[in-house]
Amino acid sequence: MRQITVIEHLLLHQRQNPMATGQFTRLLNELILSAKIIGRDVNKAGLVDILGYTGNVNVQGESVQRLDEFANSVLVHRMERAGVLCAMASEETADLIQISHRFPKGEYFLVFDPLDGSSNIDANVSIGTIFSIYRVKDGLSGQVELHDVLQKGAEQVAAGYFIYGSSTVMVYTTGSGVHGFTHDPSVGEFLLSHPDIKIPPQGKIYSVNEAYWNYWDGATQRAVGMFKDPNSELGRLYSLRYIGSLVADFHRNLLYGGVFMYPIDYRDPKKPKGKLRLLCEANPLAYIVEQAGGMATDGVNRILDIEPQELHQRTPLFIGSTAEVEKIREIYSQAG
Ligand code: AHG
Ligand code: MN
Ligand code: MN
């Protein structure tokens, strides 16, 4: 395959796409540089004093890995200076991150999970960075408020992720299909490796943490149980694959087909809507999976239609091939 970079692909293959503006290509380039810096340290994590926990707890009430903080600081530092954002938001930061008056502002709002799958860092399991991009309604100056930037996922102008695994891969969409690029360290570029990714209409994989079985309601147990019954309406036996890094589980299911589920469970009364975050996890992956021909719901409702009320809003997530997500929706709808 001819060596095609991300920006070349954006300009050549999505010419009709209004996203190929100067500001957007600058935003993408800064995201790519951030991922190269994060990937460099992820790949040598064991060799530098960057493993383990900081001892701090983040806004999510989760203990923070040093690599979480490192990835977050790389993204905030680079994106603030890019001159393309009016504000940004991170899974690791309680409030909106304002752009210092020292830097020019732009027309985009960026939300990101700087490091997804943090619990796996020390075990050398694939982890990633997830990003979601909105255009703000009109040029904002001064202090940006939440109501200026909070929009439902269907309003995203781009979304994607980097996955730091055996190689570093970038997958993203601007609404003209889903495209994957693999980092070639010998030239320092992400080169097109997975053009126009389409998720199989039905798979053979289901991904869920079954340890929570006894904390699920009846409808969830029926939905998950369907994948263990070869005589179910899905008509085939499935394999359970669960890495514990959403970005890695999602990426595998995107390529092979199947469904990832993170239902509401009743272990933690402080998390009545489940563990995963709407803005920096569910929305970007939902945009990608729909562009690849799949589906993403909260069990019943389309993820991209959910009107966010707060920055760190959680949501149950059922995402992947249409056949599976649709069957799950029928089960929850019948349960009422
Ligand atoms: P993060 O590392 O950004 O906090 O995300 C972790 C998430 C997600 O990556 C993964 O699918 C899920 O946590 C795993 O949760 P459980 O350990 O409860 O299965
Ligand atoms: Mn995450
Ligand atoms: Mn994270």
Side-chain angles (χ1 to χ4, degrees), residues 140-273:
L140 294 171
S141 58
Q143 182 84 0
V144 175
E145 303 299 334
L146 211 44
H147 62 77
D148 295 321
V149 291
L150 268 195
Q151 302 173 58
K152 62 184 180 182
E155 300 297 323
Q156 290 173 98
V157 293
Y161 56 84
F162 295 92
I163 184 165
Y164 312 110
S166 44
S167 59
T168 298
V169 170
M170 171 187 182
V171 172
Y172 90 112
T173 183
T174 60
S176 305
V178 178
H179 310 284
F181 301 79
T182 300
H183 187 237
D184 178 343
S186 67
V187 295
E189 286 288 354
F190 281 91
L191 301 176
L192 183 65
S193 52
H194 301 74
D196 202 19
I197 298 173
K198 291 295 177 201
I199 187 169
Q202 182 173 356
K204 293 182 180 162
I205 292 169
Y206 75 104
S207 308
V208 69
N209 189 335
E210 292 212 5
Y212 307 147
W213 179 273
N214 292 321
Y215 297 97
W216 291 333
D217 63 17
T220 301
Q221 290 178 343
R222 283 194 299 280
V224 176
M226 178 169 60
F227 297 99
K228 301 200 270 202
D229 171 8
N231 304 313
S232 82
E233 288 176 43
L234 286 166
R236 59 178 63 164
L237 188 60
Y238 280 73
S239 289
L240 172 60
R241 294 283 183 274
Y242 192 74
I243 298 172
S245 286
L246 168 61
V247 70
D249 280 316
F250 175 82
H251 184 66
R252 180 207 49 243
N253 292 359
L254 179 70
L255 298 181
Y256 297 174
V259 63
F260 173 94
M261 301 174 271
Y262 205 108
I264 289 174
D265 63 67
Y266 298 96
R267 286 172 296 147
D268 182 350
K270 292 197 300 297
K271 291 180 184 163
K273 298 290 278 179

Side-chain angles (χ1 to χ4, degrees), residues 50-123:
I50 203 161
L51 287 178
Y53 290 95
T54 60
N56 306 328
V57 173
N58 68 7
V59 63
Q60 321 279 347
E62 294 152 345
S63 51
V64 178
Q65 294 264 10
R66 265 179 267 187
L67 216 43
D68 277 320
E69 273 185 353
F70 170 74
N72 195 53
S73 62
V74 167
L75 279 157
V76 171
H77 178 87
R78 295 230 59 84
M79 299 317 296
E80 184 179 29
R81 288 155 173 71
V84 296
L85 300 179
C86 69
M88 55 183 136
S90 164
E91 177 198 83
E92 298 297 334
T93 307
D95 303 313
L96 273 185
I97 301 168
Q98 302 292 335
I99 305 299
S100 158
H101 64 280
R102 288 179 294 138
F103 304 115
K105 282 194 172 161
E107 61 191 27
Y108 293 100
F109 173 55
L110 172 71
V111 191
F112 54 85
D113 177 355
L115 209 64
D116 174 72
S118 313
S119 61
N120 284 312
I121 292 172
D122 295 6

